[in-house]
Amino acid sequence: MAAPILQDTYRHQGQRRALVRELRQRGIYAEPVLAALAAVPRHLFFPPAFEAHAYQDKAFPIGEGQTISQPYTVAYQTQLLGVQPTDHVLEVGTGSGYQCAVLLQLTPHVDSIEFNEVLYGRTRQLLADLGAEAATLHRGDGSLGLPDRAPFDCILVTAGAPGLPPALLRQLRVGGRLVIPVGDSNTQRMVRVTREGPESFIREEFEDFRFVPLLGASGWKQ
């Protein structure tokens, strides 16, 4: 019964190519990131009844109060992260698994952590069905990171945080990058933090976005 859901047709591939052209026009220039979005069948992360929305550049609800981020946001964050093929990446907020699948196109070394137990179970099965077993998925408080798996070259947070989680900063390798939306519950500024030394960090600020809240000890309380 799952086979029709997991089909990736020429029509889907053409829709992805059109989406990539749109993202390029909006300022996404990193070719590996564009290639990753062209490779990942976003429609497979949607309920079949809503497949028609999959290649529109917009966010979409996935249940449990969460959304699948719009492709531009995924591309923008991934471009800021600057993932290299040997990088060890931590994704905070697995959600639908779409961003995780994009990261796996750039490096096989991906850990992803999800706060919501329902989404964790659903997405773990979906990624397995898609052959994306390279990702190591975890269930827990992403604002605390994964100290047992640290250090990370890149950390990507896919939910809005009230500030920079100290645990995530500590888990960055020297030279590593954290990309995270920071702000209030309405609007967040995209921030990139690069670790220069044991106690030295460079903070850069970029565009404003709207994300679902990061839950946890260093996020918003549930």
Side-chain angles (χ1 to χ4, degrees):
M1 295 180 64
I5 299 175
L6 298 182
Q7 286 184 345
D8 185 28
T9 66
Y10 287 120
R11 177 175 63 85
H12 295 129
Q13 294 163 25
Q15 289 174 318
R16 288 204 295 283
R17 287 193 293 270
L19 175 62
V20 165
R21 287 194 295 271
E22 181 180 350
L23 295 175
R24 197 188 298 275
Q25 290 169 359
R26 291 196 61 186
I28 302 300
Y29 57 83
E31 292 299 332
V33 173
L34 291 167
L37 270 81
V40 176
R42 190 172 186 252
H43 65 280
L44 299 184
F45 297 86
F46 279 64
F50 300 105
E51 183 184 303
H53 299 272
Y55 294 106
Q56 299 172 11
D57 189 21
K58 64 180 185 181
F60 200 83
I62 58 171
E64 301 296 311
Q66 304 298 303
T67 62
I68 180 172
S69 293
Q70 72 179 99
Y72 175 75
T73 303
V74 171
Y76 189 95
Q77 283 197 288
T78 308
Q79 182 168 275
L80 282 182
L81 203 60
V83 180
Q84 300 301 308
T86 58
D87 282 348
H88 184 194
V89 179
L90 171 63
E91 179 196 27
V92 175
T94 313
S96 70
Y98 176 63
Q99 173 73 80
C100 185
V102 169
L103 291 170
L104 284 169
Q105 293 292 319
L106 302 171
T107 175
H109 313 294
V110 178
D111 281 270
S112 185
I113 184 167
E114 172 57 44
F115 189 90
N116 184 281
E117 187 170 2
V118 173
L119 286 181
Y120 166 75
R122 181 196 305 165
T123 300
R124 184 178 186 184
Q125 183 61 55
L126 174 60
L127 289 175
D129 290 344
L130 294 175
E133 296 93 343
T136 303
L137 303 188
H138 309 262
R139 221 290 289 174
D141 183 350
S143 74
L144 299 178
L146 291 171
D148 291 344
R149 300 283 291 175
F152 298 98
D153 301 288
C154 303
I155 300 178
L156 179 64
V157 180
T158 63
L164 298 175
L168 299 185
L169 295 175
R170 288 194 300 270
Q171 290 171 36
L172 273 181
R173 191 186 306 277
V174 173
R177 302 162 300 283
L178 164 67
V179 173
I180 179 173
V182 177
D184 58 29
S185 57
N186 293 315
T187 306
Q188 301 89 37
R189 176 67 52 88
M190 196 66 70
V191 174
R192 179 171 62 192
V193 177
T194 303
R195 187 170 196 172
E196 279 203 314
E199 303 298 332
S200 175
F201 299 87
I202 296 176
R203 174 175 174 149
E204 303 168 272
E205 297 191 0
F206 299 90
E207 295 182 20
D208 289 340
F209 290 84
R210 291 191 67 180
F211 281 79
V212 297
L214 175 68
L215 302 178
S218 291
W220 301 97
K221 307 306 178 188
Q222 192 175 28

